[in-house]
Amino acid sequence: MTPAVGKDTMDPNPSTTATTTTITVAYAGGDERRGPLTMGQANMIRCILRDDPTHINIHDVWPVPEGTTSAAVTDALRALAVRHEGLRTTFPHPPGAAPVDQVVAAEGTFTVTVLDHAEPPGDPAGYAESVARAARAGRFALEREFPLRITLLTAAGAPVHVALAFSHAVADGSAMAILREEFAELLAGKELPGLTSLPPIDLAAVEASPAGLRKSEASLRYWERIIRTGPQEMFAEPRGRRPGTDEEARQLTLRSRRGGRALAAAARRTGHPEATVLMAAWCALVAHRAGQDSCVTAVPSANRFHPRVARSVTTTSQDALLHLDVRVPAFDALVARTWGAVLNAYRHSQFDSVRLWEMIDRVTAERGSHFGRDVVFNDVSALPAPLLGTDAQDRDDAEQELAWGPPQTLPTRLLAFTYRTAPQLHISLWAAPSLFTPEEAEGFLSGLVLLLEAAAAGDVSMEALAEVTGVRPAERGPDWLRVDGCWVSPAAVRETLGRAVGGLPVRVVEEPGPDGSADGPERAAGTDPRLTAYIARGETSLTPAEAHRALTALIPAAGSGVLAPHRYVLVENPPTEPDRSDAWRRPEIIEEGTGRSRQV
């Protein structure tokens, strides 16, 4: 097939000038098909329609062997498009609505932008990375656009790299790795084996089967248990912000041969996989720094544990939600607990994302909270392809180094990507600056290595984490309480509730929990104190349910530490001594109740 060609010139980099050629590549093969979305596609499309494209689109850079022609590159790309239905898929939908179906084309075209340099840039791989990253800007037109933006970088006409941006609706990290591998094999003249994994439409049918629906229902129940009982903020502290309040955080990258050796040794000593030991160390340090009894962390899952999806070129990415209780005497016990907890989280990471968020909205309204995707830990070290701008050829001789990179808007409080575990531990961290000073962020990653080194030498007391790692727990004032498994500031609740009810006088009072005790450092599980809000409603017609609804509407944008009271008590006028809690118990009660439709 003869490609159509057009020319112009551009300057993609201030230090180098390139001639730009646009090639239109036609493909034909396979069947035209239409079917429902997979759960992974629906999850990603929800994000695509909502989030900044530079955050949700993904990219990769594929090296081209010396001596390869441009025609060979386009032929390989065409072969991949014909081979994988996901690359020929669009998602038709009317304006203002989300897609519910996918359409696979039997034939069509895609474009390749060729940037030809008379001389290669000084850092060809870095330049290709910048081109691929830049291509992530701009939302993919799901209903009509080919889901890959392809740029072929050449030097004096000779191909050097292919820089690609992908729609996350058709590919995830594993899919990019599969395509990169097959692209290299095609250029080497190898014949690709037959497909053994399901294309997206067939995967959707499996998910819609009775067994698939039962699995999704079990996942929703699992998530609901955590969201009803677990901490709503991992980093609930005076200087924190609400989850969902975006911050710009700089990338901090650790490269440590010390860490790699320690992780391997700790895995040998404990008899658990390296991934489990690393997850246990991460959760232990996060919970320690946050001052929490448990760690709730999102663990993005590719859901590729079954042969039918292992090599499917689609997006199967959905969060696994890990809720790990860290109340154990020592680290080895936590590692043993982590193994089962991680398997349980992954087992419940396939779900209808629309129903999931409906459930989260319902539960957080009932609980009077705001669940945040506060902590994310993404271990992609098992993938053969570099991701998110990380080159597999990164220097691996660093005994230990920390390097700061560019900033990125962070919709979470703490995000980590583990790119490699051997021969060095290679982790990038984005930590919210409202919670972590640069020194504290560096100390957190250094502390992770120190914990692994201590665990390699022997079991580590959980009470000794500050001493071992140098990481100090969050500081909260004496007025902060643990309520419903969350750290809560009654003062922040009072201020937010006061605004919610239009400035009416409010007093938030701590009351005994089920054991009759409202204070004391050693509370048994389920014996947290409860909060009662007294409101002087005056001549208004305010009800407890209305007060609760007004408060929950403000919580997502409120300061850290805000959780709805368990009980609202309405009186006519404030007492003469409004700063005394016992004084609010004396006036005649007009009405009392809870806005929660289900008690936690």
Side-chain angles (χ1 to χ4, degrees), residues 173-448:
S174 295
M176 288 198 302
I178 292 164
L179 291 170
R180 163 193 275 254
E181 176 187 317
E182 292 184 349
F183 176 74
E185 290 179 350
L186 287 169
L187 292 185
K190 298 180 181 179
E191 183 176 347
L192 298 181
L195 296 174
T196 57
S197 293
L198 297 178
I201 288 179
D202 295 335
L203 177 58
V206 171
E207 293 175 342
S209 69
L213 294 176
R214 286 194 298 270
K215 185 173 184 178
S216 177
E217 290 295 329
S219 297
L220 292 175
R221 291 193 297 271
Y222 168 88
W223 276 68
E224 184 168 351
R225 283 195 301 272
I226 296 174
I227 293 166
R228 282 197 181 277
T229 60
Q232 297 295 281
E233 300 174 81
M234 279 305 295
F235 297 104
E237 54 188 88
R239 63 174 173 167
R241 300 186 191 179
R242 290 299 309 181
T245 305
D246 291 357
E247 295 185 64
E248 191 172 78
R250 292 180 64 196
Q251 179 180 358
L252 175 62
T253 298
L254 166 78
R255 293 183 177 89
S256 173
R257 291 184 72 90
R258 283 174 47 193
R261 290 194 301 268
L263 177 58
R268 287 193 301 270
R269 190 187 65 76
T270 61
H272 286 276
E274 290 185 7
T276 303
V277 174
L278 184 59
M279 180 66 75
W282 167 262
C283 288
L285 201 57
V286 168
H288 167 71
R289 164 61 181 78
Q292 300 278 16
D293 290 338
S294 63
C295 176
V296 176
T297 183
V299 186
S301 167
N303 285 316
R304 291 178 181 270
F305 310 111
H306 193 282
R308 64 177 174 237
V309 291
R311 292 187 63 84
S312 182
V313 172
T314 185
T315 184
T316 61
S317 293
Q318 294 188 275
D319 274 353
L321 188 66
L322 175 63
H323 184 203
L324 183 63
D325 190 333
V326 299
R327 291 175 295 181
V328 292
F331 184 70
D332 285 7
L334 183 65
V335 174
R337 177 176 290 182
T338 302
W339 171 253
V342 169
L343 289 180
N344 202 27
Y346 279 137
R347 189 162 54 243
H348 295 102
S349 60
Q350 180 181 308
F351 44 77
D352 182 327
S353 60
V354 174
R355 290 190 59 204
L356 175 76
W357 281 102
E358 289 174 348
M359 178 272 291
I360 291 175
D361 290 343
R362 183 184 72 253
V363 171
T364 53
E366 292 171 359
R367 193 177 184 186
S369 61
H370 178 72
F371 175 75
R373 194 172 179 261
D374 219 358
V375 181
V376 181
F377 185 81
N378 198 359
D379 186 347
V380 296
S381 61
L383 296 181
L387 298 176
L388 301 179
T390 300
D391 195 307
Q393 302 304 316
D394 274 340
R395 55 193 179 282
D396 59 9
D397 58 349
E399 190 63 12
Q400 182 149 314
E401 69 176 21
L402 290 164
W404 286 96
Q408 178 176 319
T409 301
L410 195 71
T412 185
R413 304 277 76 84
L414 196 66
L415 167 66
F417 273 82
T418 298
Y419 297 112
R420 306 173 73 188
T421 56
Q424 62 177 197
L425 184 61
H426 182 177
I427 299 177
S428 284
L429 180 77
W430 291 261
S434 64
L435 292 163
F436 292 82
T437 66
E439 294 75 20
E440 287 172 329
E442 291 180 355
F444 187 88
L445 282 182
S446 298
L448 185 65

Side-chain angles (χ1 to χ4, degrees), residues 1 22 90 144 153 224 249 257 312 335 345 387 400 410 475 496 504:
M1 300 178 187
T22 301
T90 53
R144 56 180 172 78
L153 303 177
E224 184 168 351
R257 291 184 72 90
S312 182
V335 174
L387 298 176
Q400 182 149 314
L410 195 71
E475 294 183 2
T496 307
L504 293 175

Side-chain angles (χ1 to χ4, degrees), residues 110 134 151 183 289 301 309-310 381 392 403 431 436 488 499 533 562 569 577 583:
F110 60 87
T151 304
F183 176 74
R289 164 61 181 78
S301 167
V309 291
S381 61
F436 292 82
V488 177
R499 287 191 289 116
V562 179
V569 177
E577 299 176 282

Side-chain angles (χ1 to χ4, degrees), residues 18-19 70 114-121 127 152-161:
T19 299
S70 295
V114 181
L115 296 185
D116 185 48
H117 299 261
E119 296 181 2
Y127 174 64
L152 175 60
L153 303 177
T154 63
V160 180
H161 288 101

